[in-house]
Amino acid sequence: MSATALPTSATPAPERPAHRDPNVLRWLAAYTASMVGDSVYYMALSWAAIRTGSPAQAGVVLALGAVPRAVLMLGGGVLADRFGPRLVVIGSDAARCVLILGIAVALLFTSPALWLLITVALLFGTVDALFLPAVGALPPRITAPAQLARVQGMRGLAARIANVAGAPLGGLAVALGGSATAFAVAGALFALSLPLLLAVRMAPGPAKAPADGAEAGTAEGGTAWGELRDGLRHIRRHRVLAPLMLVIAIGELGFVGPLNIGLTLLVQERGWGADGMGWIVAAFGTGAGASSLLLTVRGRIPRAGLTLSVVLCGGAVAIAGLAYAPSLALAVLAGVSIGLLAGLSGALTGALLQTAADPAYMGRVTSVATLFTLGVAPLCYPVTGAATGLWGTGPVFVVSAAVCGTGGLLGLCFKALRHAELPAS
């Protein structure tokens, strides 16, 4: 049976490879600067919180910043669709810049009081709830549909650069001038992204149509709640988006626990020490970077829906294998495999979402997917930690792998997703 072609947006962008398109490269540079700024900001916030209060209080500061991001994420998607992702991205990035540079100046004259850090964390989380859906909705407006997989690969490379460069840069800034300097560096990186974003050319936004659950529009008098409900109906009734969101939600629930807190507990249980932890994390980053580079160069993976589901199942096997690796060397090999498969599945998920969604719903669709990955999935951290304390890392990793694999198997069960293809050049 022939593969199901997903509807594509009518983007008038020239058909050129995204990694050779100056417009896309400007967006990529802005995105990378912003991501590195994020890493430096979290380093500065955590350092200031630890210096101000107890470790428990520092944890509260960091956790509180995630609350408005999770609560307001869907609203951020509504705003991205209503006002356009470019305007929301520029506005939220400017707000982050002003906020972080403001706290940097304030810390020159006063010590970082706990209430001040909590306020900054809450405000930053609120702005992040606007920034994340909008930045995810930008790629279909700056390049041709056939280049979306390549753009997702480039975005993955930017994330790897931010992970590698952000923490050392933040640590250096803290060492040179304390939290104030680190906040200033983060604010400067956000400021650097603004002129690059302003220089990015955007395709015209989609026209709104009457809302009936399948068309974009201003449902229920144009209220934000009505538009959000309209976006959720669009996902629920879509033959590809509905199962894809299910796969994202279940796959993330099985993935993030063992690969975050679970990995730390595994290393402690095996006695591999901080060096062993570093090797496994580096292996994961290497695999994820390799998959991003593959997509950046290749540009398209055939039978994307089928590949996504199979890759998720393979990643589940690698997660279970990591828990029972008899040596550090084999654990590192498992880490490379997990990174490679996770990076590939994440990029394919993003490309399929952006290709399948109606352009008028792009912000809302992105916000739902981001809510699962950054809002709901991390809730399993305490569950993973408690379960590991009761039963050990092996059983917990196996259960998590089974959950992740269930996401892949569900993808194979839905015909429309299984046969989904990305556009060809």
Side-chain angles (χ1 to χ4, degrees), residues 176-398:
L176 292 177
S179 299
T181 300
F183 279 120
V185 170
L189 287 165
F190 294 141
L192 175 62
S193 70
L194 285 172
L196 294 168
L197 286 171
L198 289 169
V200 174
R201 300 186 306 274
M202 300 281 293
K208 291 186 176 181
D212 61 4
E215 301 289 340
T218 55
E220 304 184 27
T223 65
W225 176 246
E227 292 183 22
L228 175 57
R229 291 179 59 187
D230 193 31
L232 295 176
R233 282 195 296 267
H234 173 66
I235 295 172
R236 178 168 53 85
R237 298 180 180 183
H238 199 288
R239 296 172 60 246
V240 172
L241 288 179
L244 185 56
M245 287 296 182
L246 187 62
V247 169
I248 291 172
I250 295 176
E252 285 291 329
L253 283 175
F255 177 80
V256 298
L259 267 298
N260 287 278
I261 186 171
L263 181 58
T264 303
L265 297 173
L266 175 66
V267 169
Q268 290 178 347
E269 184 179 284
R270 297 297 182 86
W272 288 333
D275 290 344
M277 178 77 171
W279 278 107
I280 297 174
V281 171
F284 176 84
T286 300
S291 65
S292 297
L293 184 60
L294 172 66
L295 276 174
T296 299
V297 173
R298 183 176 176 84
R300 181 176 181 271
I301 300 294
R303 303 186 67 84
L306 177 63
T307 302
L308 167 64
S309 301
V310 172
V311 163
L312 271 178
C313 292
V317 173
I319 290 173
L322 175 61
Y324 290 98
S327 66
L328 177 59
L330 290 176
V332 168
L333 181 60
V336 172
S337 302
I338 294 170
L340 183 65
L341 296 171
L344 184 57
S345 64
L348 287 176
T349 296
L352 284 168
L353 281 175
Q354 293 176 346
T355 308
D358 186 297
Y361 288 103
M362 195 65 67
R364 281 163 283 183
V365 170
T366 303
S367 70
V368 173
T370 307
L371 179 63
F372 283 135
T373 56
L374 296 181
V376 176
L379 296 178
C380 70
Y381 290 166
V383 177
T384 301
T388 302
L390 290 174
W391 299 298
T393 55
V396 172
F397 268 65
V398 169

Side-chain angles (χ1 to χ4, degrees), residues 113-219:
L114 199 62
W115 68 266
L116 180 62
L117 298 179
I118 290 175
T119 302
V120 171
L122 289 172
L123 290 175
F124 192 88
T126 300
V127 178
D128 242 13
L130 307 180
F131 175 81
L132 291 171
V135 78
L138 273 179
R141 302 277 295 277
I142 62 174
T143 191
Q147 297 299 317
L148 288 175
R150 179 172 274 131
V151 169
Q152 291 302 316
M154 296 164 69
R155 188 177 178 183
L157 286 175
R160 300 280 79 76
I161 292 173
N163 290 338
V164 171
L169 181 59
L172 178 62
V174 167
L176 292 177
S179 299
T181 300
F183 279 120
V185 170
L189 287 165
F190 294 141
L192 175 62
S193 70
L194 285 172
L196 294 168
L197 286 171
L198 289 169
V200 174
R201 300 186 306 274
M202 300 281 293
K208 291 186 176 181
D212 61 4
E215 301 289 340
T218 55

